[in-house]
Structures are given as structure tokens and as C-alpha cells.
Amino acid sequence: MTALDALTVPAELSARVPAEQRGAGRDDVRMLVSRGREVSHHAFRELPEQLRAGDVLVVNTSATLPAAVNGRTGGARVVVHFSTRGDDGRWAVELRHPDGTGATVPRRGGPTGTVVHLPGGSRLVLQEPLGGAAAGARLWWARVSTEVPGLLRRYGRPIRYGYTERDQPLSAYQTVFAVQAPDGSGSAEMPSAARPFTPRLVAALVRRGVQFAPLTLHTGVASAEAYEPPYPERFEVPRTTAWLVNAARAAGGRVIAVGTTAVRALESSAGADGVVRPAAGWTDLVVTPQRGVRVVDGLLTGLHEPAASHLLMLEAVAGRAALQCAYPEALRHGYLWHEFGDVHLLLPETESHALNCRSNDW
């Protein structure tokens, strides 16, 4: 076991409400900056000073869906989390038990043939575990008797977990980059790394010479308790984004992904030669230190639980030593975790650093 694996995040460091309900606005969060083993502490509004002209921020434009819907099965109340729409019209769903506070707790998946009665007289039927997993798997493919985007618009609400204080409006889960898809597609859970961005901050970054490259990856339901690897997700990297990223790299600029979803989509479109090509479809790529990254130089992300599979991606981008320095610092300074919390900017090293962690405290 390493020092990072042994870390625990106390419950009081869970961000329970959005930043604008704690402070002055969405961008009123803290930002931990890692350059190798060197760690510094900043306000998120200082992001432009951490970047330079010619850098490209790759952002996910997927809009968040009101993906939680109440239902009943066998007389019992359940909450359906709609995760991903398949090519055959089925939906991958997770059934959970309501916990009495508006949040939910896990429920064993299945069995095949389970019928869930939904609002408005519609229903869904569980058919098979996602990916051929065991019968008790968390996510199942289901047939739904109505058009799900319409069902979600009428009866859905954002997915939330027990560490948050109360329900929030859907607008609290949309980023400034979100674009509503004509077919009603979107993310089951918010691509939350981009949440602190505001139009004013975007304008400040553009004035500094930082470019924005949009792509889309529709996130599925996270494994909030089990920390499973990500499932296949639908993505699109448009031609203009491929061109922007390739041009920046050729000119010596850095490619900074905003969120792990942006890393997954961009790396899924990059060849072994490091060239990004337009791509669309499904990706089952899991970015690990063994696989490495081909295009991404840095990453802006939230703070992840020590057991989360996302940390493998962070390690692939920045190295394990950077995380072993940064995460104890985040705990020591009381940074906030989860989708309404603080952020972590991992940038490439610019010089040799000492063997021990170096911190630039406020």
C-alpha cells in the first residue's frame, strides 16, 4: 500500500452545496496546482495566470440530464438512474433504493424481467446486465415503453448522492459549455470539472491567448460506492477540435483537458502517432499509467476519492509522485471534494524538482 492508497477523505470535506451558495459565485472555489512534486494554492479565478498563450483547453459540451426518476417495482419504491442510451434504443439503468432524504443507496441489480412502473403510466423492463456482467451487476440494459428524453423532462431530476445537502435545480448541474443535443442525449452526471467556469473567466482566458476546443462525451452513471472502471460511453471529437489540438501541439502549445471525460474522448481519437483525428461513436478506453497519454499534457479536474479508478488517469497524465504530493496537501488545507467542490490543475514540470514535495502555501 502506498501513501496515496492509505488516505481517507473525512466527511466534512464533501462539498454539500454549490459554490455560489457558499460564497460569491461559481468560480469561488480553490485550485490546487501541481507541477510535478511542486504544489501551490490558488483561487480558481487565477487560472489565466497559470496558463499561457497558445495553450488549448479541451472542454466537454455534454449537457446534464435530469436522469433520476422515481418508480415502483413489486410494491417497493425505487429510483431509476438512466445512464446511457444504446444503439438499439435500450437504456442502461441503475435501480437504487431511496434513503428518505432525497438521495439513494445501492440496490442489488436485476433480476432479469424486473418491471419498474414509472410516472405517467410508462414502465421499463430489465433485460440483461451491462457488458455481460454477473446477475447482480449494478447497471442493466432495459426496454422503456416511452421516449426517455421526454420522460426525463417531465419527471426527472438531477442524480444526487448522500454527501450533498439537498436537491438542486438542473441549472446547478449545467456547465457554461453545455449544449443541448437535438435528440435529447446528454450526461447522466455532470462533467463537473468545468463547473467553476463563468463567461467572464472564459473571456479572460481568451484575452490571454488560450483557445477552447470543444468535444462531447456523454457520461454514464458513476460508481459512487464501488469505484468501478468506466463503462463504454458515446463521444464525438469534431474536425475543428482535432485541427486545433494538432496545430497547438505543432506550435509548442500545451493541451489541457478540462475533466477526465475530455481526456477519455480526446485520447480515444488520437493515434499511436499522437495525431488527433475526427472521431465519433463509443469508447471503452480506460486510460492507465501503463497505456499512458498520447495528446494530453495537463488536466483540470476535481478531487477524487483515493479508491477511485479516475486516479489511474491522473497518474497517467502527471505521474504518481505528483498525486502523492498533492493529495495530502489538499487534505491538510481542507479542500472540498465532489462535483461542487474545489479543483486540481495538473501541469507538466518545467524544471527539475527536489525529491521531497515542495509546497507554496498561501
Side-chain angles (χ1 to χ4, degrees):
M1 177 178 290
T2 68
L4 186 62
D5 298 322
L7 290 177
T8 58
V9 180
E12 60 268 22
L13 293 186
S14 293
R16 297 181 60 79
V17 296
E20 57 271 27
Q21 296 175 23
R22 303 190 306 263
R26 279 192 174 220
D27 58 356
D28 191 12
V29 299
R30 290 180 291 173
M31 179 173 65
L32 188 71
V33 178
S34 293
R35 290 179 173 86
R37 295 174 180 265
E38 185 175 274
V39 179
S40 56
H41 303 272
H42 305 268
F44 182 70
R45 297 187 183 105
E46 298 173 42
L47 178 62
E49 286 71 48
Q50 301 301 314
L51 303 179
R52 61 195 187 205
D55 287 344
V56 172
L57 287 174
V58 181
V59 298
N60 187 359
T61 63
S62 180
T64 307
L65 300 174
V69 177
N70 292 335
R72 300 190 74 90
T73 179
R77 293 190 303 139
V78 294
V79 177
V80 182
H81 287 179
F82 285 87
S83 181
T84 306
R85 178 164 55 187
D87 292 333
D88 59 1
R90 297 187 299 175
W91 277 76
V93 302
E94 179 184 15
L95 304 189
R96 294 174 66 92
H97 293 299
D99 70 354
T101 71
T104 60
V105 294
R107 171 192 180 276
R108 181 175 172 81
T112 300
T114 295
V115 176
V116 180
H117 296 277
L118 300 170
S122 57
R123 68 179 198 164
L124 68 77
V125 181
L126 299 184
Q127 293 189 328
E128 60 181 328
L130 185 69
R138 188 172 60 89
L139 291 174
W140 281 63
W141 286 114
R143 286 283 179 192
V144 188
S145 66
T146 189
E147 287 296 316
V148 171
L151 175 77
L152 300 184
R153 284 194 300 271
R154 289 190 296 273
Y155 303 110
R157 62 186 181 277
I159 289 173
R160 81 170 178 93
Y161 297 106
Y163 52 77
T164 55
E165 185 173 290
R166 57 182 177 270
D167 285 346
Q168 298 288 341
L170 183 60
S171 59
Y173 291 86
Q174 303 292 10
T175 74
V176 71
F177 305 111
V179 176
Q180 300 295 327
D183 65 355
S185 297
S187 288
E189 298 184 8
M190 172 176 53
S192 57
R195 190 184 190 280
F197 283 87
T198 63
R200 178 178 294 182
L201 184 62
V202 170
L205 287 160
V206 171
R207 287 195 300 270
R208 190 167 179 83
V210 175
Q211 299 184 81
F212 288 84
L215 50 72
T216 302
L217 185 139
H218 296 313
T219 68
V221 173
S223 169
E225 294 88 13
Y227 306 116
E228 302 159 354
Y231 288 92
E233 295 169 314
R234 193 186 300 275
F235 81 105
E236 180 180 7
V237 177
R239 186 174 303 277
T240 52
T241 289
W243 184 89
L244 275 170
V245 169
N246 292 332
R249 287 171 58 81
R254 299 175 299 182
V255 177
I256 313 297
V258 179
T260 57
T261 61
V263 176
R264 194 181 201 197
L266 193 61
E267 290 291 325
S268 296
S269 70
D273 57 1
V275 175
V276 177
R277 297 171 176 84
W282 292 85
T283 177
D284 60 0
L285 177 65
V286 179
V287 178
T288 64
Q290 292 72 35
R291 189 266 187 190
V293 288
R294 298 169 176 173
V295 180
V296 173
D297 299 303
L299 172 62
L300 178 71
T301 185
L303 291 157
H304 302 278
E305 295 283 352
S309 61
H310 288 311
L311 285 182
L312 294 174
M313 179 185 289
L314 272 61
E315 185 178 343
V317 173
R320 191 165 185 84
L323 302 183
Q324 289 177 325
C325 289
Y327 270 64
E329 275 291 290
L331 288 172
R332 187 164 70 89
H333 284 264
Y335 278 72
L336 297 180
W337 259 249
H338 301 302
E339 64 267 28
F340 297 140
D342 297 316
V343 294
H344 185 193
L345 177 62
L346 298 116
L347 293 173
E349 292 185 67
T350 57
E351 61 184 37
S352 297
H353 292 85
L355 290 179
N356 294 322
C357 298
R358 289 166 34 177
S359 173
N360 176 21
D361 287 347
W362 276 306

